[in-house]
Amino acid sequence: MQIDIITCLPKLLESPFSDSILKRAQNKGLVKVNIHDLRDYSTNKQKSIDDYAFGGGAGMVMMIEPIDRCITFLKSKTEYDEVIYMSPDGELMGQSLANQLSLKKKLIILCGHYKGVDERVRQHLITKEISIGDYVLSGGELAAAVVADSIIRLLPGVLSDETSALSDSFQDGLIAPPVYSRPAEYKGWKVPDVLLSGHELKIMEWRTEKSLERTKERRPELLKNNC
Ligand code: ADE
């Protein structure tokens, strides 16, 4: 898979991709993440990428030209499945969207800033808009990293225990059951006996029961969506 992220703050995206699972996925050649500095596509001396909004009002708008030049350049090299714009008014990110996007081969993700992008970018250059939640971030970079992480960890070979992505919360529409590790007792706080029993079927049943219990308690709307 290839993910091309367009940003005017490339430094913000350095650390999420240079550690742990996302770094290993790139080292193994399972994903190529390219960060593109939007200012490199500006045509003026100051390398500016934003301007005042027509009609007035507070806040700068990201201009269409550098964005178009960058996307056109990327598209001249290869074909993309989606050109995504990170925006608080996009489609709400969820596990099912992560699953869908993990099946794609090539994605562009555009990070917004200031008052957002010139509307013509959204009309003519973008194929999908994604929000990571009903709150406004200072820019789309952290959101892009969240989306990329949720996709990359699903790629075959990225997680060492391949089944562990399948047992994530939300993967089957439920919240994951509690997990425990050694010691079996700490300060008198005990691990449930069933997990120490070695009885696989009973452990599976216990996990399903806890998953349902937890979902009912914390996210009852997920159970309604499942029916
Ligand atoms: N940019 C600013 N806020 C955002 C959000 N909630 N989701 C995606 N991109 C954003």
Side-chain angles (χ1 to χ4, degrees):
M1 177 178 234
Q2 180 179 324
I3 304 178
D4 288 272
I5 306 181
I6 306 172
T7 168
C8 53
L9 292 171
K11 272 201 198 141
L12 267 184
L13 285 163
E14 270 169 24
S15 109
F17 296 102
S18 53
D19 230 318
S20 186
I21 291 173
L22 300 191
K23 182 183 180 188
R24 251 185 292 131
Q26 291 171 88
N27 288 347
K28 282 191 191 170
L30 300 169
V31 64
K32 177 108 182 62
V33 179
N34 304 309
I35 312 290
H36 305 276
D37 187 344
L38 191 56
R39 291 184 197 280
D40 292 341
Y41 297 84
S42 170
T43 47
N44 61 35
K45 261 199 204 144
Q46 299 77 36
K47 297 260 168 220
S48 60
I49 44 99
D50 59 323
D51 208 336
Y52 295 102
F54 278 131
M60 305 293 273
V61 175
M62 286 171 72
M63 294 185 289
I64 188 167
E65 195 186 7
I67 296 172
D68 184 35
R69 277 165 51 88
C70 183
I71 292 176
T72 304
F73 170 72
L74 294 177
K75 282 185 172 172
S76 72
K77 304 218 156 202
T78 188
E79 246 181 66
Y80 288 89
D81 299 293
E82 300 280 7
V83 182
I84 297 166
Y85 173 52
M86 300 311 306
S87 161
D89 52 9
E91 176 181 347
L92 203 57
M93 187 64 195
Q95 193 59 50
S96 114
L97 185 50
N99 293 346
Q100 284 169 43
L101 291 173
S102 74
L103 301 175
K104 308 285 185 191
K105 291 272 173 289
K106 295 190 179 177
L107 302 172
I108 292 177
I109 304 181
L110 170 65
C111 305
H113 258 273
Y114 318 111
K115 273 274 161 221
V117 293
D118 185 308
E119 186 63 19
R120 291 165 293 182
V121 170
R122 302 170 84 156
Q123 287 169 338
H124 302 289
L125 304 175
I126 297 298
T127 61
K128 198 175 217 19
E129 303 196 2
I130 299 179
S131 162
I132 63 160
D134 290 340
Y135 42 83
V136 180
L137 302 166
S138 326
E141 283 75 13
L142 299 181
V146 166
V147 168
D149 184 310
S150 73
I151 296 170
I152 294 169
R153 64 195 301 286
L154 295 174
L155 301 177
V158 168
L159 297 183
S160 40
D161 176 2
E162 293 228 23
T163 58
S164 70
L166 293 176
S167 58
D168 283 343
S169 278
F170 307 112
Q171 200 51 271
D172 53 4
L174 297 176
I175 290 183
V179 290
Y180 298 86
S181 185
R182 283 185 292 187
E185 185 172 343
Y186 181 72
K187 290 187 175 174
W189 304 325
K190 288 183 182 160
V191 170
D193 286 339
V194 63
L195 296 179
L196 309 174
S197 70
H199 197 303
E200 270 188 49
L201 181 65
K202 281 198 177 147
I203 293 172
M204 231 171 69
E205 284 170 354
W206 181 87
R207 287 188 169 142
T208 308
E209 185 190 312
K210 290 292 160 193
S211 229
L212 281 163
E213 224 174 81
R214 220 165 229 208
T215 311
K216 208 161 148 188
E217 205 178 281
R218 299 181 182 199
R219 299 290 303 276
E221 79 280 10
L222 293 177
L223 290 173
K224 279 183 208 121
N225 295 345
N226 257 354
C227 300

